[in-house]
Amino acid sequence: MERFTRFLKVPNVVARHDPVVQPIYQSSIFRMPDHQVAAATEEAVHPTSYYTRWGNPTVSYLENQLSTLLGCNATLVFPSGMSAITTTLLALVSPGERILASRALYGDTTRFLVEELGRFGIEVDFFDPSRPQHLPELLARGAKVVYFESISNPELRVADFDAIRSACESREVLTVCDCTFSPPGVLGEKVRAADLVIHSLTKYMSGHYTVFGGSVSGWQALIDRIWHKQALYGACIDPQAAWQISQGLKTLELRIARQNATAQLLAQRLASHRHVEQVFYPPLDPRPEVASLAQKYLTGGGAVITAALKGGRAAAVRLIENTEVFGLSVSLGGITSCAEHAQSMSHSMLGAMDASTLSDASVSVPADNLVRLSVGVEDPGDLLRDLTSALELSGMPVATRAVAGEFVKG
């Protein structure tokens, strides 16, 4: 046998003892022992070592971690949160059927529901998950799926899980909840959010702003159904990314505890600041219905605070441009703090949509004075001083801001 051929055929090295950390199986294919096994695996659902678009041992390990953490039968992992959302919904709903969705969602989720699903002949109606008293009436129109977020983005309204489940179970309607804003440590352990729970693993779960990922968890039969679409659409995560998320998950409890405590402290201080019109943070929310639902379903407030500033958009932009510890970034849930102007950043895609369509659907568009803050694990005192300094600058006339900025930051 020629040397280069022998080189390509060098056997894999397998650890003699169990590794402490799940190895990365960075392989797109796996060698089958015989044709019978190969043919059987070709017909299997979600095999872990046949073709990585269908499954991979490193990916399966992450899926098992998530199922254990979330108390679910099974999980699928995707290359992004949006991939998890779109694939799940397309697997559950067919042309001519109807979805009921929250009117306050992440911007691209709303855009997918309003623009893309219409192309497939799927109709979408909207409701308020924090006030689902009209849900039975809407369900009477024949909805197949109810889709909502556990905590709305960016105004942080908590969904009434029990009321939604009660209305849907009586009509055998599937519920799908995006729980990105309420990972374990925020949502109560005994809360049953929905039949299927989605997470953007890019956020809290991985926690370090180094990787993209998404997941859907729930009953095995539903997950198997979604897997067929995932494999067909090619919505598979790379094993390296799955491994990174897997490592991030191991510190989730520690990170969430720190972020909950710091965010609550900052929310309390912001609520009394003279340049702040209103603070949205579930456990401290001035809206009684939100605070009541937060007390019922949440064990922590999470790392996200949304503040409505006096002075409108100009004040909001001045705030996010004058922070030093809070970076001007669009994401959330990681170890470093960041701030954004919700209307023009995370929800900017709503501005590109037809205004009358959004109005007819009663879709919620963020106000122009909203700043969304994601609290990391930095020193709470440093974060508070950073926000206080930036807030002082946000409320100053333009002519005096530069001089004041030199004084504050010097």
Side-chain angles (χ1 to χ4, degrees):
M1 187 181 293
E2 196 271 341
R3 181 177 62 178
F4 191 71
T5 302
R6 293 199 307 274
F7 163 75
L8 292 175
K9 297 294 183 181
V10 170
N12 292 336
V13 176
V14 179
R16 183 178 179 183
H17 305 290
D18 287 341
V20 173
V21 177
Q22 167 71 30
I24 304 173
Y25 285 84
Q26 195 68 50
S27 179
S28 61
I29 58 173
F30 297 83
R31 186 178 290 115
M32 298 289 103
D34 54 53
H35 173 262
Q36 183 176 359
V37 171
T41 308
E42 174 73 25
E43 299 300 320
V45 174
H46 200 16
T48 61
S49 53
Y50 179 63
Y51 186 51
T52 286
R53 176 160 61 87
W54 292 12
N56 175 285
T58 307
V59 176
S60 295
Y61 179 81
L62 172 59
E63 291 170 342
N64 292 341
Q65 281 183 297
L66 289 166
S67 294
T68 301
L69 185 63
L70 300 173
C72 296
N73 295 120
T75 295
L76 288 177
V77 174
F78 296 78
S80 70
M82 279 306 301
S83 177
I85 292 167
T86 57
T87 305
T88 295
L89 292 178
L90 288 173
L92 298 178
V93 186
S94 301
E97 294 180 332
R98 184 183 299 272
I99 289 177
L100 269 178
S102 170
R103 61 170 58 108
L105 297 167
Y106 169 55
D108 272 336
T109 306
T110 298
R111 188 173 183 182
F112 174 74
L113 291 166
V114 173
E115 293 185 348
E116 293 299 309
L117 288 187
R119 297 172 53 237
F120 292 91
I122 297 169
E123 296 186 38
V124 182
D125 290 324
F126 292 88
F127 77 108
D128 183 349
S130 65
R131 299 171 179 171
Q133 60 266 32
H134 299 299
L135 192 53
E137 177 186 342
L138 293 170
L139 288 171
R141 301 179 186 178
K144 189 80 172 180
V145 169
V146 168
Y147 181 89
F148 61 102
E149 291 176 350
S150 57
I151 303 175
S152 69
N153 181 7
E155 291 190 355
L156 308 183
R157 287 185 175 273
V158 180
D160 191 340
F161 301 102
D162 290 346
I164 293 170
R165 183 175 64 253
S166 176
C168 292
E169 283 182 343
S170 64
R171 294 181 177 273
E172 298 185 349
V173 175
L174 289 175
T175 53
V176 181
C177 181
D178 182 339
C179 283
T180 296
F181 275 54
S182 60
V186 175
L187 190 65
E189 284 189 33
K190 296 182 179 180
V191 176
R192 181 185 161 195
D195 297 310
L196 291 168
V197 169
I198 287 175
H199 280 274
S200 171
L201 303 178
T202 312
K203 313 299 193 300
Y204 287 103
M205 296 299 208
S206 60
H208 293 78
Y209 297 135
T210 58
V211 64
F212 276 87
S215 66
V216 58
S217 305
W219 300 109
Q220 185 71 60
L222 290 174
I223 295 299
D224 289 350
R225 182 175 165 187
I226 297 165
W227 174 81
H228 286 285
K229 290 295 185 186
Q230 180 190 38
L232 177 64
Y233 295 160
C236 60
I237 194 170
D238 181 79
Q240 176 73 42
W243 185 86
Q244 286 182 266
I245 297 168
S246 174
Q247 302 315 301
L249 273 178
K250 295 172 183 178
T251 62
L252 176 66
E253 182 180 15
L254 302 176
R255 290 185 281 107
I256 287 292
R258 171 83 170 201
Q259 290 169 292
N260 280 341
T262 304
Q264 179 138 338
L265 169 66
L266 295 181
Q268 289 171 333
R269 297 296 184 87
L270 287 173
S272 60
H273 198 282
R274 68 182 187 279
H275 293 319
V276 176
E277 182 179 290
Q278 188 173 357
V279 168
F280 304 100
Y281 187 67
L284 306 174
D285 202 292
R287 298 164 294 187
E289 71 278 9
V290 176
S292 174
L293 291 173
Q295 184 177 14
K296 181 177 181 180
Y297 297 119
L298 305 185
T299 57
V304 179
I305 307 165
T306 299
L309 298 190
K310 297 174 182 177
R313 179 190 177 101
V317 171
R318 287 198 294 269
L319 171 65
I320 62 177
E321 287 186 340
N322 283 285
T323 54
E324 292 185 339
V325 184
F326 280 86
L328 177 49
S329 303
V330 76
S331 196
L332 62 101
I335 59 172
T336 56
S337 297
C338 54
E340 66 142 29
H341 179 245
Q343 188 187 78
S344 61
M345 294 177 68
S346 62
H347 290 70
S348 66
M349 58 289 294
L350 297 180
M353 296 175 64
D354 181 68
S356 62
T357 300
L358 294 176
S359 177
D360 291 344
S362 298
V363 169
S364 176
V365 178
D368 67 358
N369 68 335
L370 292 186
V371 170
R372 193 185 72 186
L373 304 168
S374 177
V375 178
V377 299
E378 301 94 340
D379 179 77
D382 289 337
L383 292 171
L384 180 58
R385 283 187 289 273
D386 189 42
L387 281 180
T388 302
S389 297
L391 279 167
E392 291 303 321
L393 293 171
S394 75
M396 288 183 177
V398 175
T400 62
R401 207 166 59 241
V403 175
E406 290 177 11
F407 175 77
V408 170
K409 295 182 180 180

Tab-separated table of all heavy atoms in Angstrom, residues 286-338:
chain	number	residue	atom	x	y	z
A	286	PRO	N	-43.719	48.487	37.781
A	286	PRO	CA	-44.803	49.292	38.355
A	286	PRO	C	-46.184	48.867	37.868
A	286	PRO	O	-47.193	49.262	38.469
A	286	PRO	CB	-44.470	50.711	37.889
A	286	PRO	CG	-43.679	50.523	36.643
A	286	PRO	CD	-42.883	49.272	36.859
A	287	ARG	N	-46.227	48.065	36.796
A	287	ARG	CA	-47.520	47.578	36.314
A	287	ARG	C	-47.942	46.392	37.187
A	287	ARG	O	-47.281	45.351	37.178
A	287	ARG	CB	-47.416	47.157	34.843
A	287	ARG	CG	-47.038	48.289	33.897
A	287	ARG	CD	-46.568	47.789	32.544
A	287	ARG	NE	-45.314	47.043	32.635
A	287	ARG	CZ	-44.619	46.621	31.571
A	287	ARG	NH1	-45.053	46.888	30.351
A	287	ARG	NH2	-43.488	45.936	31.733
A	288	PRO	N	-49.031	46.509	37.943
A	288	PRO	CA	-49.402	45.458	38.902
A	288	PRO	C	-49.554	44.078	38.273
A	288	PRO	O	-49.153	43.075	38.872
A	288	PRO	CB	-50.747	45.950	39.460
A	288	PRO	CG	-50.745	47.425	39.232
A	288	PRO	CD	-49.972	47.650	37.968
A	289	GLU	N	-50.116	44.019	37.060
A	289	GLU	CA	-50.341	42.711	36.434
A	289	GLU	C	-49.023	42.028	36.085
A	289	GLU	O	-48.896	40.804	36.147
A	289	GLU	CB	-51.225	42.843	35.191
A	289	GLU	CG	-50.591	43.502	33.970
A	289	GLU	CD	-50.608	45.021	34.013
A	289	GLU	OE1	-50.950	45.587	35.058
A	289	GLU	OE2	-50.283	45.638	32.979
A	290	VAL	N	-47.999	42.824	35.710
A	290	VAL	CA	-46.683	42.251	35.393
A	290	VAL	C	-46.001	41.774	36.668
A	290	VAL	O	-45.452	40.668	36.727
A	290	VAL	CB	-45.802	43.276	34.657
A	290	VAL	CG1	-44.406	42.699	34.409
A	290	VAL	CG2	-46.445	43.686	33.346
A	291	ALA	N	-46.011	42.590	37.706
A	291	ALA	CA	-45.378	42.226	38.975
A	291	ALA	C	-46.010	40.968	39.569
A	291	ALA	O	-45.316	40.109	40.131
A	291	ALA	CB	-45.472	43.391	39.954
A	292	SER	N	-47.330	40.855	39.425
A	292	SER	CA	-48.033	39.691	39.959
A	292	SER	C	-47.625	38.416	39.234
A	292	SER	O	-47.374	37.377	39.865
A	292	SER	CB	-49.550	39.899	39.831
A	292	SER	OG	-50.255	38.737	40.205
A	293	LEU	N	-47.536	38.475	37.899
A	293	LEU	CA	-47.126	37.304	37.121
A	293	LEU	C	-45.664	36.967	37.387
A	293	LEU	O	-45.290	35.792	37.429
A	293	LEU	CB	-47.359	37.556	35.635
A	293	LEU	CG	-48.825	37.637	35.189
A	293	LEU	CD1	-48.930	38.060	33.733
A	293	LEU	CD2	-49.524	36.289	35.406
A	294	ALA	N	-44.825	37.983	37.580
A	294	ALA	CA	-43.414	37.740	37.887
A	294	ALA	C	-43.284	37.003	39.213
A	294	ALA	O	-42.492	36.052	39.341
A	294	ALA	CB	-42.654	39.059	37.935
A	295	GLN	N	-44.063	37.419	40.197
A	295	GLN	CA	-44.021	36.764	41.507
A	295	GLN	C	-44.499	35.321	41.414
A	295	GLN	O	-43.980	34.440	42.105
A	295	GLN	CB	-44.884	37.541	42.494
A	295	GLN	CG	-44.833	36.985	43.916
A	295	GLN	CD	-45.650	37.823	44.885
A	295	GLN	OE1	-46.446	38.660	44.482
A	295	GLN	NE2	-45.441	37.602	46.186
A	296	LYS	N	-45.444	35.073	40.537
A	296	LYS	CA	-46.029	33.734	40.406
A	296	LYS	C	-45.104	32.767	39.685
A	296	LYS	O	-44.999	31.591	40.064
A	296	LYS	CB	-47.365	33.837	39.661
A	296	LYS	CG	-48.095	32.508	39.488
A	296	LYS	CD	-49.444	32.713	38.800
A	296	LYS	CE	-50.192	31.395	38.652
A	296	LYS	NZ	-51.506	31.582	37.980
A	297	TYR	N	-44.410	33.251	38.642
A	297	TYR	CA	-43.692	32.335	37.765
A	297	TYR	C	-42.163	32.427	37.823
A	297	TYR	O	-41.485	31.484	37.402
A	297	TYR	CB	-44.117	32.579	36.308
A	297	TYR	CG	-45.566	32.297	36.030
A	297	TYR	CD1	-46.425	33.298	35.577
A	297	TYR	CD2	-46.093	31.012	36.203
A	297	TYR	CE1	-47.764	33.041	35.298
A	297	TYR	CE2	-47.430	30.749	35.939
A	297	TYR	CZ	-48.260	31.763	35.482
A	297	TYR	OH	-49.575	31.505	35.221
A	298	LEU	N	-41.617	33.533	38.290
A	298	LEU	CA	-40.171	33.729	38.212
A	298	LEU	C	-39.500	33.564	39.570
A	298	LEU	O	-40.070	33.915	40.602
A	298	LEU	CB	-39.842	35.125	37.672
A	298	LEU	CG	-40.457	35.523	36.323
A	298	LEU	CD1	-39.936	36.890	35.889
A	298	LEU	CD2	-40.183	34.475	35.253
A	299	THR	N	-38.280	33.054	39.540
A	299	THR	CA	-37.468	32.983	40.751
A	299	THR	C	-36.379	34.055	40.743
A	299	THR	O	-35.681	34.242	41.739
A	299	THR	CB	-36.809	31.599	40.889
A	299	THR	OG1	-36.017	31.332	39.720
A	299	THR	CG2	-37.847	30.513	41.036
A	300	GLY	N	-36.208	34.734	39.630
A	300	GLY	CA	-35.244	35.820	39.498
A	300	GLY	C	-35.695	36.742	38.389
A	300	GLY	O	-36.507	36.367	37.545
A	301	GLY	N	-35.155	37.950	38.385
A	301	GLY	CA	-35.596	38.923	37.386
A	301	GLY	C	-34.867	38.849	36.071
A	301	GLY	O	-35.290	39.439	35.085
A	302	GLY	N	-33.735	38.115	36.047
A	302	GLY	CA	-32.943	38.049	34.832
A	302	GLY	C	-31.976	39.212	34.726
A	302	GLY	O	-31.882	40.061	35.617
A	303	ALA	N	-31.270	39.263	33.600
A	303	ALA	CA	-30.208	40.254	33.411
A	303	ALA	C	-30.634	41.440	32.563
A	303	ALA	O	-29.836	42.343	32.337
A	303	ALA	CB	-28.987	39.596	32.781
A	304	VAL	N	-31.868	41.441	32.067
A	304	VAL	CA	-32.295	42.499	31.148
A	304	VAL	C	-33.160	43.529	31.881
A	304	VAL	O	-34.108	43.175	32.584
A	304	VAL	CB	-33.068	41.914	29.951
A	304	VAL	CG1	-33.529	43.033	29.016
A	304	VAL	CG2	-32.191	40.934	29.185
A	305	ILE	N	-32.808	44.783	31.704
A	305	ILE	CA	-33.582	45.917	32.219
A	305	ILE	C	-33.888	46.820	31.026
A	305	ILE	O	-32.998	47.102	30.226
A	305	ILE	CB	-32.780	46.741	33.242
A	305	ILE	CG1	-32.226	45.861	34.358
A	305	ILE	CG2	-33.617	47.878	33.817
A	305	ILE	CD1	-31.154	46.544	35.181
A	306	THR	N	-35.126	47.263	30.928
A	306	THR	CA	-35.463	48.242	29.897
A	306	THR	C	-35.885	49.532	30.583
A	306	THR	O	-36.714	49.519	31.498
A	306	THR	CB	-36.593	47.724	28.986
A	306	THR	OG1	-36.151	46.534	28.332
A	306	THR	CG2	-36.945	48.752	27.929
A	307	ALA	N	-35.300	50.643	30.136
A	307	ALA	CA	-35.590	51.950	30.737
A	307	ALA	C	-36.147	52.893	29.685
A	307	ALA	O	-35.605	52.998	28.576
A	307	ALA	CB	-34.323	52.539	31.347
A	308	ALA	N	-37.247	53.551	30.021
A	308	ALA	CA	-37.793	54.613	29.181
A	308	ALA	C	-37.233	55.932	29.698
A	308	ALA	O	-37.417	56.269	30.870
A	308	ALA	CB	-39.315	54.611	29.238
A	309	LEU	N	-36.533	56.665	28.827
A	309	LEU	CA	-35.861	57.887	29.263
A	309	LEU	C	-36.688	59.130	28.959
A	309	LEU	O	-37.365	59.202	27.930
A	309	LEU	CB	-34.501	58.013	28.568
A	309	LEU	CG	-33.480	56.908	28.839
A	309	LEU	CD1	-32.130	57.321	28.289
A	309	LEU	CD2	-33.373	56.589	30.318
A	310	LYS	N	-36.608	60.088	29.858
A	310	LYS	CA	-37.161	61.401	29.574
A	310	LYS	C	-36.264	62.044	28.508
A	310	LYS	O	-35.054	61.944	28.583
A	310	LYS	CB	-37.183	62.256	30.831
A	310	LYS	CG	-38.072	61.700	31.941
A	310	LYS	CD	-37.935	62.508	33.225
A	310	LYS	CE	-38.786	61.913	34.337
A	310	LYS	NZ	-38.622	62.639	35.623
A	311	GLY	N	-36.876	62.687	27.545
A	311	GLY	CA	-36.073	63.288	26.482
A	311	GLY	C	-36.101	62.509	25.190
A	311	GLY	O	-35.425	62.877	24.222
A	312	GLY	N	-36.859	61.400	25.144
A	312	GLY	CA	-37.089	60.688	23.897
A	312	GLY	C	-35.872	59.994	23.318
A	312	GLY	O	-34.919	59.649	24.032
A	313	ARG	N	-35.890	59.821	22.009
A	313	ARG	CA	-34.837	59.099	21.293
A	313	ARG	C	-33.470	59.739	21.507
A	313	ARG	O	-32.463	59.037	21.686
A	313	ARG	CB	-35.181	59.062	19.798
A	313	ARG	CG	-34.133	58.344	18.946
A	313	ARG	CD	-34.412	58.571	17.461
A	313	ARG	NE	-33.377	57.957	16.645
A	313	ARG	CZ	-33.499	56.806	16.020
A	313	ARG	NH1	-34.623	56.114	16.123
A	313	ARG	NH2	-32.505	56.314	15.285
A	314	ALA	N	-33.411	61.056	21.493
A	314	ALA	CA	-32.125	61.736	21.627
A	314	ALA	C	-31.463	61.377	22.955
A	314	ALA	O	-30.255	61.116	23.015
A	314	ALA	CB	-32.314	63.242	21.516
A	315	ALA	N	-32.237	61.358	24.017
A	315	ALA	CA	-31.689	61.008	25.329
A	315	ALA	C	-31.242	59.553	25.360
A	315	ALA	O	-30.203	59.222	25.950
A	315	ALA	CB	-32.724	61.272	26.413
A	316	ALA	N	-32.024	58.667	24.733
A	316	ALA	CA	-31.668	57.252	24.700
A	316	ALA	C	-30.349	57.034	23.971
A	316	ALA	O	-29.478	56.281	24.430
A	316	ALA	CB	-32.778	56.448	24.031
A	317	VAL	N	-30.183	57.708	22.839
A	317	VAL	CA	-28.944	57.571	22.062
A	317	VAL	C	-27.763	58.143	22.839
A	317	VAL	O	-26.664	57.570	22.860
A	317	VAL	CB	-29.093	58.242	20.686
A	317	VAL	CG1	-27.756	58.300	19.958
A	317	VAL	CG2	-30.127	57.492	19.839
A	318	ARG	N	-27.973	59.276	23.516
A	318	ARG	CA	-26.892	59.865	24.305
A	318	ARG	C	-26.443	58.921	25.421
A	318	ARG	O	-25.257	58.815	25.731
A	318	ARG	CB	-27.321	61.216	24.894
A	318	ARG	CG	-27.410	62.336	23.855
A	318	ARG	CD	-27.398	63.708	24.511
A	318	ARG	NE	-28.563	63.967	25.332
A	318	ARG	CZ	-29.685	64.535	24.897
A	318	ARG	NH1	-29.795	64.886	23.612
A	318	ARG	NH2	-30.693	64.765	25.709
A	319	LEU	N	-27.406	58.219	26.027
A	319	LEU	CA	-27.053	57.291	27.091
A	319	LEU	C	-26.153	56.175	26.568
A	319	LEU	O	-25.073	55.925	27.112
A	319	LEU	CB	-28.317	56.689	27.717
A	319	LEU	CG	-28.071	55.533	28.706
A	319	LEU	CD1	-27.324	56.028	29.933
A	319	LEU	CD2	-29.372	54.868	29.109
A	320	ILE	N	-26.576	55.505	25.513
A	320	ILE	CA	-25.813	54.334	25.053
A	320	ILE	C	-24.478	54.727	24.426
A	320	ILE	O	-23.569	53.899	24.335
A	320	ILE	CB	-26.640	53.483	24.055
A	320	ILE	CG1	-27.001	54.274	22.791
A	320	ILE	CG2	-27.888	52.937	24.726
A	320	ILE	CD1	-27.746	53.455	21.749
A	321	GLU	N	-24.325	55.982	24.018
A	321	GLU	CA	-23.056	56.429	23.459
A	321	GLU	C	-22.090	56.941	24.528
A	321	GLU	O	-20.931	57.241	24.222
A	321	GLU	CB	-23.285	57.523	22.416
A	321	GLU	CG	-23.869	57.004	21.111
A	321	GLU	CD	-23.957	58.080	20.036
A	321	GLU	OE1	-23.928	59.276	20.388
A	321	GLU	OE2	-24.058	57.699	18.851
A	322	ASN	N	-22.551	57.033	25.778
A	322	ASN	CA	-21.704	57.588	26.833
A	322	ASN	C	-21.403	56.610	27.960
A	322	ASN	O	-20.888	57.009	29.006
A	322	ASN	CB	-22.340	58.861	27.399
A	322	ASN	CG	-22.142	60.052	26.472
A	322	ASN	OD1	-21.046	60.604	26.383
A	322	ASN	ND2	-23.192	60.437	25.760
A	323	THR	N	-21.732	55.336	27.748
A	323	THR	CA	-21.335	54.334	28.732
A	323	THR	C	-19.947	53.800	28.387
A	323	THR	O	-19.552	53.801	27.220
A	323	THR	CB	-22.330	53.164	28.769
A	323	THR	OG1	-22.494	52.630	27.443
A	323	THR	CG2	-23.678	53.605	29.313
A	324	GLU	N	-19.233	53.332	29.384
A	324	GLU	CA	-17.909	52.758	29.175
A	324	GLU	C	-17.873	51.273	29.534
A	324	GLU	O	-17.295	50.472	28.813
A	324	GLU	CB	-16.857	53.517	29.989
A	324	GLU	CG	-16.625	54.927	29.484
A	324	GLU	CD	-15.492	55.619	30.219
A	324	GLU	OE1	-15.162	55.192	31.356
A	324	GLU	OE2	-14.932	56.572	29.661
A	325	VAL	N	-18.492	50.894	30.641
A	325	VAL	CA	-18.537	49.480	31.026
A	325	VAL	C	-19.601	48.763	30.194
A	325	VAL	O	-19.380	47.646	29.707
A	325	VAL	CB	-18.819	49.325	32.528
A	325	VAL	CG1	-18.754	47.849	32.925
A	325	VAL	CG2	-17.814	50.123	33.347
A	326	PHE	N	-20.763	49.396	30.036
A	326	PHE	CA	-21.796	48.864	29.145
A	326	PHE	C	-21.361	49.129	27.707
A	326	PHE	O	-21.223	50.280	27.294
A	326	PHE	CB	-23.144	49.548	29.392
A	326	PHE	CG	-23.902	49.024	30.570
A	326	PHE	CD1	-23.674	49.522	31.845
A	326	PHE	CD2	-24.861	48.031	30.414
A	326	PHE	CE1	-24.372	49.040	32.938
A	326	PHE	CE2	-25.576	47.541	31.497
A	326	PHE	CZ	-25.326	48.047	32.773
A	327	GLY	N	-21.145	48.068	26.933
A	327	GLY	CA	-20.791	48.238	25.534
A	327	GLY	C	-22.028	48.476	24.683
A	327	GLY	O	-23.119	48.008	25.013
A	328	LEU	N	-21.894	49.206	23.596
A	328	LEU	CA	-23.000	49.448	22.664
A	328	LEU	C	-23.099	48.238	21.742
A	328	LEU	O	-22.396	48.124	20.745
A	328	LEU	CB	-22.746	50.735	21.881
A	328	LEU	CG	-23.762	51.122	20.788
A	328	LEU	CD1	-25.187	51.059	21.297
A	328	LEU	CD2	-23.443	52.513	20.245
A	329	SER	N	-23.954	47.299	22.109
A	329	SER	CA	-24.077	46.028	21.386
A	329	SER	C	-25.533	45.569	21.398
A	329	SER	O	-26.307	45.949	22.267
A	329	SER	CB	-23.201	44.941	22.019
A	329	SER	OG	-21.847	45.329	22.066
A	330	VAL	N	-25.863	44.674	20.463
A	330	VAL	CA	-27.258	44.342	20.239
A	330	VAL	C	-27.751	43.120	21.015
A	330	VAL	O	-28.942	42.914	21.135
A	330	VAL	CB	-27.513	44.137	18.723
A	330	VAL	CG1	-26.963	42.772	18.257
A	330	VAL	CG2	-28.987	44.254	18.376
A	331	SER	N	-26.890	42.295	21.551
A	331	SER	CA	-27.334	41.038	22.144
A	331	SER	C	-27.560	41.162	23.643
A	331	SER	O	-27.606	42.261	24.198
A	331	SER	CB	-26.336	39.927	21.827
A	331	SER	OG	-26.909	38.660	22.064
A	332	LEU	N	-27.670	40.026	24.322
A	332	LEU	CA	-27.992	40.019	25.758
A	332	LEU	C	-27.606	38.694	26.376
A	332	LEU	O	-27.342	37.717	25.680
A	332	LEU	CB	-29.489	40.273	25.967
A	332	LEU	CG	-30.434	39.236	25.364
A	332	LEU	CD1	-30.949	38.258	26.430
A	332	LEU	CD2	-31.613	39.884	24.669
A	333	GLY	N	-27.545	38.678	27.707
A	333	GLY	CA	-27.390	37.437	28.452
A	333	GLY	C	-25.976	37.000	28.724
A	333	GLY	O	-25.770	36.010	29.426
A	334	GLY	N	-24.961	37.705	28.184
A	334	GLY	CA	-23.583	37.271	28.351
A	334	GLY	C	-22.911	37.871	29.567
A	334	GLY	O	-23.494	38.653	30.319
A	335	ILE	N	-21.628	37.532	29.734
A	335	ILE	CA	-20.905	37.946	30.927
A	335	ILE	C	-20.495	39.415	30.889
A	335	ILE	O	-20.176	39.996	31.923
A	335	ILE	CB	-19.651	37.075	31.159
A	335	ILE	CG1	-18.697	37.163	29.962
A	335	ILE	CG2	-20.049	35.641	31.436
A	335	ILE	CD1	-17.366	36.486	30.202
A	336	THR	N	-20.494	40.031	29.711
A	336	THR	CA	-20.181	41.452	29.617
A	336	THR	C	-21.464	42.246	29.389
A	336	THR	O	-22.337	41.835	28.624
A	336	THR	CB	-19.196	41.732	28.472
A	336	THR	OG1	-19.722	41.219	27.243
A	336	THR	CG2	-17.863	41.070	28.738
A	337	SER	N	-21.588	43.373	30.049
A	337	SER	CA	-22.798	44.185	29.973
A	337	SER	C	-22.858	44.947	28.656
A	337	SER	O	-21.824	45.375	28.126
A	337	SER	CB	-22.846	45.170	31.142
A	337	SER	OG	-22.909	44.482	32.368
A	338	CYS	N	-24.062	45.127	28.140
A	338	CYS	CA	-24.227	45.885	26.902
A	338	CYS	C	-25.550	46.636	26.913
A	338	CYS	O	-26.469	46.310	27.665
A	338	CYS	CB	-24.119	44.982	25.677
A	338	CYS	SG	-25.211	43.562	25.649
